[in-house]
Amino acid sequence: MPRPRSLTNDQIAAAALAVIDRDGLPALSMRTVAAELDRRTMALYRYVEDREELECLVVDLALGPVLDRAAGREPSPRARLLALLARMREAVGAHPGVLPLAVRHHRTSLPALRWRERILQALDAAGLDAPARAAALHALVAYTIGALEVEHQGPAVTPAPAAFPLLAAALGTRAATSPSTAFTAGANTVLTGLGIA
Amino acid sequence: MPRPRSLTNDQIAAAALAVIDRDGLPALSMRTVAAELDRRTMALYRYVEDREELECLVVDLALGPVLDRAAGREPSPRARLLALLARMREAVGAHPGVLPLAVRHHRTSLPALRWRERILQALDAAGLDAPARAAALHALVAYTIGALEVEHQGPAVTPAPAAFPLLAAALGTRAATSPSTAFTAGANTVLTGLGIA
DNA sequence: AGTTTTGGCGTACGGTCTACACCTACGAGG
DNA sequence: CCTCGTAGGTGTAGACCGTACGCCAAAACT
């Protein structure tokens, strides 16, 4: 009986993602997303409660591919975990502007929760019991979020290099290593610290 | 010859911090800070280029105590590093609202840079060479930022506990551990992964 | 064809940041 | 003491933002 919806959640999320990819996160607004869909601003509120819900939609869309090809084929639990973290990095790297939104909403995003569950499965396969799994998940999630945040804001700057000799040297060697290897190296240290073979 | 300044940077930062502590980060605006100082809005622009610079001031103030008592007294490098990370956690914990600002501006905040330099000193004392120090700093900074971000947004919620059995169990044990011990445990795993005694 | 549910939109309000122009308080030089 | 120039304080206004409210039209079922 009712008039059918002419917009799907995916279309709305895709429009928001297009705005972010094209003009950056600051350009995301109800107005710009509505314009991307060739609608007036208020039409969006028929599909979305408020801006927060719009942000959740785009996070779900951007984080969707984090598990698209079943990431359970790697031989060792450690390789599986490494691949899971790398997949999250790739998903965010494909749409860098959504990183702040992903950080803010990853607790409620279904793809992010599935990603956590997969991590816990790999930790279980590695022989960790429940409390150890919880601690390990915390460490891995914290490292991943922080590493992505550090990667997507440029390197730190030293106002007075002479006053920060070690920092200046560290920034030099860091500038010589690719973000991908830096991320993987950090992930490996965490996994080593967790005692995962 | 000129008329003297009636406001110091510290007073402005303290006013902004007071607004954040009292009413939360969303309440921070040029208007609210100006009102806190008993000035009209535009008076602030005599002291601060724009809102971003105001944010930097408050981050510098909030992160100042991260090094107030010389944190170099701990016996082992590992204990020193653990104390440095804990200090950052305490500084943020004293003003939870500034966390997003601290994450956004820690690359340019002097206290944050000094904190990194101290970490590098401890890593040097632990026997790491320059490339290893850079990698270790990256891992420690990433973990710290991510752990604080995870800590200051509540625990994740599982919409369908049956679909996420391991996650539901992990959230249960996590709810039973204090944020402080969870943070320290994660820091210890990273330090272990770095091979620091 | 009529009814009803819903989608789409116009208007408007209160909020944000800040560019600009104006007045004035203050301290130094005469 | 008086003047003067610099800089502090502020009012106005413009361009954005999110969104509450109310109206109209379109679409599908009876």
Side-chain angles (χ1 to χ4, degrees), chain B residues 36-167:
Chain B
E36 186 79 17
L37 294 164
D38 269 310
R39 302 287 145 83
R40 315 295 162 184
T41 307
M42 295 310 292
L44 266 185
Y45 286 91
R46 293 287 169 187
Y47 300 89
V48 143
E49 185 67 27
D50 52 11
R51 185 202 164 104
E52 169 134 350
E53 191 174 324
L54 175 70
E55 293 180 355
C56 289
L57 285 182
V58 46
V59 168
D60 282 357
L61 178 62
L63 261 40
V66 95
L67 289 183
D68 55 357
R69 290 204 329 104
R73 321 301 296 286
E74 289 80 6
S76 69
R78 181 178 186 127
R80 233 172 309 177
L81 289 165
L82 222 41
L84 280 166
L85 299 200
R87 266 180 198 285
M88 178 59 82
R89 178 175 173 273
E90 288 159 19
V92 172
H95 307 282
V98 304
L99 176 57
L101 305 184
V103 170
R104 192 149 58 246
H105 297 118
H106 74 108
R107 309 175 305 137
T108 55
S109 164
L110 248 70
L113 294 178
R114 278 194 279 262
W115 178 76
R116 282 162 111 117
E117 183 80 7
R118 285 282 187 95
I119 289 180
L120 287 166
Q121 289 173 1
L123 292 170
D124 183 44
L128 275 66
D129 63 352
R133 282 198 302 266
L137 177 67
H138 171 252
L140 290 171
V141 169
Y143 169 73
T144 303
I145 289 180
L148 293 181
E149 211 128 29
V150 168
E151 176 177 342
H152 285 278
Q153 44 194 37
V157 286
T158 51
F164 302 93
L166 297 175
L167 184 52

Side-chain angles (χ1 to χ4, degrees), chain A residues 68-86:
Chain A
D68 55 357
R69 289 206 331 102
R73 321 300 296 288
E74 289 79 7
S76 69
R78 181 177 186 127
R80 233 173 310 175
L81 289 165
L82 222 42
L84 280 166
L85 300 200

Side-chain angles (χ1 to χ4, degrees), chain A residues 2-6 39-40 42-43 46-47:
Chain A
R3 181 174 169 182
R5 314 209 123 201
S6 62
R39 299 290 143 83
R40 314 296 153 159
M42 295 311 291
R46 294 287 171 190
Y47 299 89

Side-chain angles (χ1 to χ4, degrees), chain A:
Chain A
M1 171 136 46
R3 181 174 169 182
R5 314 209 123 201
S6 62
L7 257 40
T8 68
N9 280 1
D10 272 348
Q11 284 176 309
I12 294 176
L17 201 50
V19 170
I20 294 175
D21 288 341
R22 179 170 10 95
D23 302 321
L25 182 57
L28 183 73
S29 76
M30 303 303 267
R31 285 165 168 78
T32 54
V33 174
E36 186 80 18
L37 294 164
D38 268 309
R39 299 290 143 83
R40 314 296 153 159
T41 307
M42 295 311 291
L44 264 187
Y45 285 90
R46 294 287 171 190
Y47 299 89
V48 144
E49 185 68 25
D50 52 12
R51 186 204 162 103
E52 168 133 352
E53 192 174 321
L54 176 68
E55 293 180 355
C56 289
L57 285 182
V58 45
V59 169
D60 282 357
L61 178 62
L63 261 42
V66 94
L67 289 183
D68 55 357
R69 289 206 331 102
R73 321 300 296 288
E74 289 79 7
S76 69
R78 181 177 186 127
R80 233 173 310 175
L81 289 165
L82 222 42
L84 280 166
L85 300 200
R87 264 179 199 286
M88 179 60 81
R89 178 174 173 273
E90 288 159 19
V92 172
H95 307 282
V98 304
L99 176 58
L101 305 183
V103 170
R104 192 149 61 246
H105 297 118
H106 73 108
R107 310 174 305 137
T108 55
S109 164
L110 248 70
L113 294 179
R114 279 195 278 263
W115 178 77
R116 283 163 110 117
E117 183 79 9
R118 285 283 187 94
I119 289 180
L120 288 167
Q121 290 173 2
L123 292 170
D124 182 45
L128 275 66
D129 65 353
R133 282 198 303 266
L137 177 67
H138 171 252
L140 290 170
V141 169
Y143 168 74
T144 302
I145 289 179
L148 293 181
E149 212 127 29
V150 168
E151 175 177 341
H152 285 278
Q153 42 196 40
V157 287
T158 51
F164 302 93
L166 297 175
L167 184 53
L171 292 180
T173 74
R174 183 159 165 65
T177 68
S178 86
S180 166
T181 60
F183 179 86
T184 308
N188 267 312
T189 58
V190 177
L191 290 173
T192 300
L194 292 169
I196 290 176

